[in-house]
Amino acid sequence: MVDRALYDDPLVSVAYGKLRSRPGRPNEVIEQPALRSLMPSLQGKDVVDLGCGSGGLARLALEQDARSVKAFDASEQMIREAIKLGGDSRSRYEIGRIEDVELPDRSADVVISGLALHYIRDVVTLSRRVRGWLRQGGSFIFSVEHPIMTCASRQWSEAADGTRQHWPVDRYLDEGPRLVRWLGADTPREHRTVASYVNALIDAGLVIRRVLEPGPDPVSLQQWPKLADHVRRPSFLIIRADRQLA
């Protein structure tokens, strides 16, 4: 989920647009391929996208011939852009916070979320609600900023000559809201441990199928050498959990 006041701010919106157009972005080169690798075939499926942003995953579901796609985001600007970029009679885009989404029980086959749940205060309740939405055999697949990214200052410790020495990890077990300087503004994150993400799913009755902490592949590293930072520490955590068949 994006913060409505932040992403609907014109200056932030322009900065975010420039960021997304930059080649070699980590979420394009690392996070999205890893997230998509955990998805089942979406053909004929009812798909829900939580925190859809400009609708990239929703469009992917439509391209894979999903039966229906319901996509939600707190930002009016993002929803307008998602509608502009593509949809059809199978898709529904709605302005709304992830915490406020209401869907019928057992109405979805796949629930996806890309880099949104680190804005959510209560993933325990959300995980239970998602399980209720899923049909038997359905999947919940999401990516978040890795907790080692959200726990501290989000900048390298450097030597006097500017050489990057290490990535600091601090107050890792101290879960709760943190402010991150991003796109020229202080943006909120909810820091929680890897264990908290995993246990929220387990406690909701979902079965963990895969956990990824992806880095760049050799081809991407050769093309964009700056991605080497993402070999030294993971930037993303990606999980797939399923509702078991009876």
Side-chain angles (χ1 to χ4, degrees), residues 36-78:
R36 296 180 185 203
S37 76
L38 297 188
M39 291 183 187
S41 170
L42 301 180
Q43 185 175 13
K45 302 289 178 63
D46 293 312
V47 178
V48 174
D49 185 356
L50 300 176
C52 66
S54 59
L57 291 175
R59 289 191 296 277
L60 172 69
L62 294 174
E63 291 166 4
Q64 291 194 11
D65 202 22
R67 179 166 55 189
S68 71
V69 180
K70 297 181 179 70
F72 303 87
D73 201 283
S75 166
E76 295 181 18
Q77 173 64 27
M78 289 294 182

Side-chain angles (χ1 to χ4, degrees), residues 4 13 41 47 52-53 62 79-80 91 114 129 135 150 158 166 177 181 206 217-218 230 234 244:
R4 184 172 179 177
S13 179
S41 170
V47 178
C52 66
L62 294 174
I79 291 296
R80 285 197 298 268
S91 61
R129 295 179 68 210
R135 300 184 178 112
T150 59
E158 298 181 344
H166 59 267
R181 193 70 183 171
L206 295 166
D217 60 38
H230 301 273
Q244 283 187 299

Side-chain angles (χ1 to χ4, degrees), residues 14 28 39 41 49 55-56 61 78 85 90 97 105 120 122 135 164-165 167 191 204 211-212 218 240 246:
V14 169
E28 177 185 24
M39 291 183 187
S41 170
D49 185 356
M78 289 294 182
L85 289 173
R90 296 170 294 157
R97 302 190 318 147
D105 285 349
I120 300 302
D122 185 358
R135 300 184 178 112
R164 290 178 172 176
Q165 294 185 307
W167 183 263
H191 169 68
V211 177
L212 302 180
R240 171 176 167 171

Side-chain angles (χ1 to χ4, degrees), residues 12-235:
V12 173
S13 179
V14 169
Y16 184 62
K18 291 180 179 178
L19 177 68
R20 287 188 305 161
S21 66
R22 190 175 66 198
R25 293 177 298 116
N27 62 314
E28 177 185 24
V29 177
I30 301 172
E31 177 261 339
Q32 279 291 299
L35 179 67
R36 296 180 185 203
S37 76
L38 297 188
M39 291 183 187
S41 170
L42 301 180
Q43 185 175 13
K45 302 289 178 63
D46 293 312
V47 178
V48 174
D49 185 356
L50 300 176
C52 66
S54 59
L57 291 175
R59 289 191 296 277
L60 172 69
L62 294 174
E63 291 166 4
Q64 291 194 11
D65 202 22
R67 179 166 55 189
S68 71
V69 180
K70 297 181 179 70
F72 303 87
D73 201 283
S75 166
E76 295 181 18
Q77 173 64 27
M78 289 294 182
I79 291 296
R80 285 197 298 268
E81 186 170 352
I83 293 171
K84 181 176 69 175
L85 289 173
D88 57 32
S89 61
R90 296 170 294 157
S91 61
R92 190 180 87 198
Y93 294 96
E94 291 190 16
I95 301 167
R97 302 190 318 147
I98 290 175
E99 300 98 317
D100 299 333
V101 172
E102 294 185 3
L103 296 169
D105 285 349
R106 303 195 180 199
S107 61
D109 298 298
V110 179
V111 177
I112 54 179
S113 181
L115 296 179
L117 300 191
H118 47 246
Y119 296 102
I120 300 302
R121 178 65 57 89
D122 185 358
V123 295
V124 173
T125 298
L126 178 66
S127 296
R128 290 175 182 151
R129 295 179 68 210
V130 169
R131 183 188 182 276
W133 300 338
L134 288 172
R135 300 184 178 112
Q136 291 181 353
S139 299
F140 181 27
I141 305 151
F142 66 87
S143 63
V144 291
E145 288 188 344
H146 198 287
I148 71 166
M149 298 290 290
T150 59
C151 72
S153 62
R154 293 174 61 94
Q155 62 184 11
W156 293 89
S157 291
E158 298 181 344
D161 63 359
T163 302
R164 290 178 172 176
Q165 294 185 307
H166 59 267
W167 183 263
V169 173
D170 189 26
R171 296 191 298 136
Y172 182 81
L173 297 178
D174 182 12
E175 298 188 331
R178 309 284 172 91
L179 284 178
V180 172
R181 193 70 183 171
W182 191 55
L183 298 179
D186 289 328
T187 66
R189 299 288 192 276
E190 286 293 327
H191 169 68
R192 57 183 62 88
T193 66
V194 173
S196 289
Y197 280 113
V198 170
N199 289 330
L201 299 167
I202 293 172
D203 292 345
L206 295 166
V207 177
I208 305 294
R209 294 301 186 195
R210 202 74 175 167
V211 177
L212 302 180
E213 298 172 293
D217 60 38
V219 173
S220 298
L221 273 176
Q222 185 175 15
Q223 189 171 4
W224 295 291
K226 288 185 177 180
L227 292 177
D229 285 350
H230 301 273
V231 177
R232 297 180 63 180
R233 53 97 176 96
S235 295

